[in-house]
Amino acid sequence: MTYDALLALAARLVAVRYPDRADEIVATAREAGRDGSRWAELASLFALALRPPSTRSVWLHGALLAAALVAVAAVTPVALIVPFGLLILGVLDARFAAAATLFWLFRLVTSDLADPQILRWLAMLVGVVLAAHVTRLAIRRAAVL
Amino acid sequence: MSDGRLQLRAGTLYAALERLESAGAVTLDREESEGGPPRRYYRLTPAGVALLEEEGERLADNAKLVRDGLRRLRPA
């Protein structure tokens, strides 16, 4: 995919988020990118268009994703490895980390306390704490974008 | 305004503008378009000026803290 195609995609995404000023934003990025930083400007457009509008939306989208994952995990245990991927993506976008947090939290509170596998329970607890921390950092970083 | 010392990516700039607008710190002053996409100019509101003063003082305090710390580190 060429730079122009990616820029067109970014412009469409920006127009969804900022319908009244998309032309201005994209023109600014295009102009600023003339000094050789066009890829960085392009990346900043994607970050602007895809950033969560509020902390509440981070958790809302995360909850929807986690609910979908819970449903899939009920069918196939392969889904249990997905949260690890979400946690990695969560470094870039807090919504993924929030989904991992809520998924592991759900698994934690619904786990059988009589289960002798205490290590598994502890691993989930560590996962919840770690994912919550990543979510918090990603939200904070998005706030200063 | 910053004599080129501060360079923001477009995404960073418009995200900041959105935050400042919603905080009531800046407001749209005028719009111009000379054959190209619209160009908007913003101005600080009184609340924005107060915020800027507060931030300037905070940065000056931090700078003073660093200068004082360095002074203590240097041999007399």
Side-chain angles (χ1 to χ4, degrees):
Chain A
M1 205 178 237
T2 63
Y3 170 81
D4 288 333
L6 285 169
L7 184 65
L9 175 64
R12 274 203 292 275
L13 290 172
V14 170
V16 171
R17 181 78 183 265
Y18 302 95
D20 60 329
R21 60 174 71 171
D23 289 349
E24 181 192 356
I25 295 172
V26 175
T28 304
R30 201 190 289 267
E31 184 66 33
R34 291 221 171 106
D35 66 356
S37 60
R38 63 180 193 160
W39 289 102
E41 289 294 341
L42 179 64
S44 84
L45 284 185
F46 276 109
L48 178 70
L50 298 175
R51 76 193 185 108
S54 66
T55 302
R56 190 186 298 173
S57 75
V58 166
W59 290 105
L60 182 66
H61 292 155
L64 291 173
L65 193 52
L69 200 54
V70 166
V72 176
V75 180
T76 168
V78 175
L80 295 177
I81 61 166
V82 174
F84 293 98
L86 291 177
L87 191 57
I88 293 166
L89 288 173
V91 175
L92 302 171
D93 189 323
R95 285 169 286 201
F96 294 116
T101 306
L102 295 171
F103 177 79
W104 279 323
L105 188 63
F106 175 80
R107 300 274 301 175
L108 190 68
V109 297
T110 57
S111 64
D112 184 3
L113 286 177
D115 189 342
Q117 289 183 307
I118 188 75
L119 275 179
R120 199 174 69 172
W121 193 86
L122 280 175
M124 279 191 289
L125 184 63
V126 170
V128 169
V129 172
L130 181 65
H133 182 63
V134 171
T135 308
R136 203 169 58 91
L137 291 181
I139 288 173
R140 196 183 293 171
R141 206 189 51 250
V144 295
L145 177 72
Chain B
M1 193 176 176
S2 68
D3 292 328
R5 280 187 294 178
L6 184 65
Q7 291 188 336
L8 299 175
R9 302 271 173 239
T12 307
L13 171 68
Y14 284 97
L17 267 176
E18 187 184 23
R19 276 202 309 279
L20 290 170
E21 249 187 315
S22 62
V26 298
T27 186
L28 187 63
D29 187 43
R30 65 186 193 279
E31 257 182 71
E32 287 176 7
S33 181
E34 292 166 10
R39 187 172 287 189
R40 292 177 175 85
Y41 293 85
Y42 293 84
R43 65 179 164 77
L44 282 169
T45 62
V49 173
L51 188 68
L52 192 59
E53 280 173 349
E54 199 178 295
E55 191 63 12
E57 281 169 20
R58 191 184 67 80
L59 290 172
D61 286 347
N62 287 349
K64 184 177 178 305
L65 203 67
V66 172
R67 275 198 301 271
D68 290 349
L70 284 172
R71 205 170 292 135
R72 276 196 297 273
L73 283 174
R74 285 196 190 109

